[in-house]
């Protein structure tokens, strides 16, 4: 199956990129960082191939469970990291993202999307809204569904990027404290790391809020209800409130540096627990 091969290729490419980039940072740019950058591109292309193949084979936007969403998350995370790298030219950004992207691709490779997954999605909708005939097919064929999912997953990827920046920030602080300046040759300045993390959170909040609004509008048009009581709807609001609380604390209580980094890492761990729990252990409408 093309999707399975693409996911494994993405996993191998991002894993190799992690190894090459870390080795280059420890050996003064040898092998060249360009090799790691090329491997990141290979991984991103593999993820796009996965999505394109699944969409063509199934005839619908295929992100209806967490495993399929993982391949798209891998691509989005790599894409955002590439944008940051092109802006700041710091290889450490790619080093931090590559292993996380590899992990997402591994999840996608373990359980490729099947036609039965779309059928399960449609049945779940029928249970929620028995008065709306063919609700599942209507949603899968709508324009708003892929837009809603893309924005939601973009928010997750940006929050993951902020958490990676938080870990990088903490690593830099530790290196400074221990006066290991030689380890910081290829690491970006602390203000740049914090800037990327904060802006990732802000853009992610906008993306998630927009995804929730589009989802409510689409549900009203197709399912005749803005609110379906799905666990993921509650989870989305909880995560939006959590990141909003962090940003409010940063603005009003002047959080910065280590506090912000720890908050971004902690919030993402909560996001993983909440969203995986609502997707895997309490799935209804949202499987991604």
């Amino acid at each position: 199956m093309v999707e399975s091969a693409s996911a494994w290729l993405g996993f191998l490419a991002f894993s190799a990129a992690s190894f090459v980039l870390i080795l280059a940072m420890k050996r003064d740019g040898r092998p060249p960082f360009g090799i790691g950058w090329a491997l990141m591109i290979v991984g991103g292309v593999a993820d796009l191939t996965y999505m394109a193949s699944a969409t063509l084979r199934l005839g619908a936007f295929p992100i209806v469970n967490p495993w399929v969403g993982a391949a798209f998350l891998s691509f989005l995370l790599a894409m955002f990291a590439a944008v940051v790298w092109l802006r700041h030219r710091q290889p450490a950004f790619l080093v931090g993202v590559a292993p996380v992207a590899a992990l997402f691709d591994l999840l996608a490779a373990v359980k490729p999307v099947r036609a039965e997954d779309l059928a399960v999605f449609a049945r779940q909708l029928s249970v929620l809204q028995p008065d709306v005939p063919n609700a599942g097919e209507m949603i899968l064929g709508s324009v708003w569904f892929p837009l809603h999912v893309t924005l939601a997953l973009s928010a997750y990827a940006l929050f993951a990027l902020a958490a990676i920046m938080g870990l990088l920030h903490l690593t830099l602080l530790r290196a400074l404290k221990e006066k290991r300046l030689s380890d910081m040759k290829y690491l970006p300045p602390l203000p740049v790391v914090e800037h990327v993390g904060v802006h990732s959170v802000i853009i992610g909040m906008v993306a998630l809020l927009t995804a929730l609004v589009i989802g409510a509008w689409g549900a009203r048009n197709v399912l005749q209800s803005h609110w379906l009581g799905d666990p993921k709807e509650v989870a989305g609001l909880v995560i939006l409130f959590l990141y909003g609380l962090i940003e409010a604390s940063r603005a009003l209580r002047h959080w910065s540096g280590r506090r912000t980094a720890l908050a971004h890492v902690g919030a993402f761990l909560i996001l993983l627990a909440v969203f995986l729990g609502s997707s895997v252990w309490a799935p209804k409408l949202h499987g991604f």
Side-chain angles (χ1 to χ4, degrees), residues 14 18 74 77 95-106 160 164 167 268:
F14 286 125
S18 304
S74 178
L77 184 57
V95 174
V97 165
V100 180
L103 176 61
F104 284 144
D105 269 333
L106 179 61
I164 292 168
L167 291 173
F268 186 69

Side-chain angles (χ1 to χ4, degrees), residues 192-205:
V192 172
V193 175
E194 185 168 4
H195 173 85
V196 172
V198 168
H199 281 75
S200 296
V201 166
I202 293 172
I203 298 171
M205 288 176 61

Side-chain angles (χ1 to χ4, degrees), residues 159 163 239 242-243 246 261-273:
F159 293 149
I239 294 302
L242 176 61
Y243 278 100
I246 292 172
L262 286 171
H264 289 168
V265 174
F268 186 69
L269 291 176
I270 294 173
L271 183 153
L272 286 178

